[in-house]
Amino acid sequence: MISDQNFIIELIGYFASFMVLISFLMRNIRKLRLINTVGCVAFVIYGVLLNWSLPIIITNTAIAGINMYYLFIRKES
């Protein structure tokens, strides 16, 4: 039987996956990057809750950082 804590962790993982997937349906690059960043942050939380899964945390932190760079520092043309 799955515990309440494990259920919540799994929900966070599914939410993260859903957000990343949905982001690729966006035509507007800013909207894509914003939604993708939400998914990446959720994946980082998910990685932490999975006893600090570094591959998940590092990859999604890097992707979120790249998204933030293009959203707020370098304006895309």
Side-chain angles (χ1 to χ4, degrees), residues 7-18:
F7 179 72
I8 292 169
I9 293 170
E10 291 296 313
L11 280 180
I12 293 168
Y14 283 118
F15 172 77
S17 296
F18 178 75

Side-chain angles (χ1 to χ4, degrees), residues 21-76:
L21 177 67
I22 290 300
S23 75
F24 289 109
L25 297 175
M26 301 296 116
R27 290 176 156 244
N28 180 297
I29 192 70
R30 281 191 61 79
K31 195 180 285 188
L32 181 153
R33 289 191 184 281
L34 283 168
I35 294 171
N36 189 271
T37 300
V38 171
C40 287
V41 170
F43 265 127
V44 170
I45 294 167
Y46 181 64
V48 169
L49 294 173
L50 290 178
N51 295 316
W52 293 88
S53 177
L54 290 180
I56 294 172
I57 295 167
I58 292 168
T59 302
N60 285 284
T61 299
I63 295 168
I66 292 166
N67 283 336
M68 300 299 266
Y69 171 77
Y70 281 107
L71 282 168
F72 300 109
I73 297 171
R74 180 168 183 250
K75 302 295 183 193
E76 297 177 75

